[in-house]
Amino acid sequence: MSEAENCTHDCETCSAACDQREKAPADFMEKPSQFSSIKKVFAVVSGKGGVGKSLVTSLLAIALNKKGYHTGILDADITGPSIPKIFGLKEKAQGSAMGVMPVVTKRGIEVISVNLLLENETDPVVWRGPIIAGTVKQFWTDVVWNDIDYMLVDLPPGTGDVPLTVFQSIPVNGILIVASPQELVSLIVSKAVKMANMMNVPIIGLVENMSYFKCPHCGKETKIFGESHIREIADEFSLPVLARIPISPELSEACDLGTLEDISAPFMDGAASALEKIPEKEKD
Ligand code: ADP
């Protein structure tokens, strides 16, 4: 298909390099608050829900925090936010004259999530797409992100409104794709790769979650969700494999109790080192 045929006639959502474009994609970039300082931004994506995207985002934030970096998490999964629970955050985000202040975890990771703003965290978010996308933009523009070295954006699954808004309005340095072994044989990963290419955002690599279960008694590894195809997929798209995370009752229990920061789960340390090698974007 030619670029003109790809055109959706709405420059705000269209990725075609069409000569009738009224605004360059870069024009949709939003500036963070004047009180914020954010060096690098990485988005964590998955094809569908429940594959452990929020767990991977949290483990990566913990790994970066342990390396001494000031790390933030922007929970863009507005209708299914799970970051506050993983870190056991109970207090609400407060406003100040400068803007909204993120809530800080026990070890100093700064978090913003719709659950930190809702009066009652069990209230469902029943909002239309543009309101949800607008909220995510405000998490970038109206929150005071204090001296952040690494900002991780936990995106909702799929390739809908919110990922599009994030890639158009936030200067994302790269994407990490999380998938389970089952997903790695489907078209889901190719869709995420194609979206990243359309949005011109580099993919840093793949993370396979729930890869295997290691028996605590005999040490035998069982591939509960089938054989891994991560190597084939990584080769097909020339992407590095950043981590393979086992199914671990310790991980799910820590997520449920809000104690993930307290356990030793160094699965994302290699991925954290990969992010260190990505240069900062030029600021205008
Ligand atoms: P997503 O963000 O993709 O919807 P979550 O990170 O919220 O998924 O994970 C979904 C559920 O699966 C959570 O209860 C989490 O604790 C559990 N989970 C994810 N990965 C693992 C794992 N490797 N071992 C054990 N439980 C896991």
Side-chain angles (χ1 to χ4, degrees), residues 91-112:
E91 62 182 291
K92 298 290 163 207
Q94 302 294 321
S96 77
M98 296 188 292
V100 179
M101 309 309 283
V103 174
V104 184
T105 70
K106 211 156 72 175
R107 299 192 195 268
I109 298 168
E110 309 224 350
V111 177
I112 199 73

Side-chain angles (χ1 to χ4, degrees), residues 49-55 82 209-210 245-248 251-252 255:
V51 296
K53 174 183 49 63
S54 301
L55 170 72
S82 27
N209 187 31
M210 308 189 191
I245 305 176
I247 296 176
S248 145
L251 283 177
S252 57
C255 289

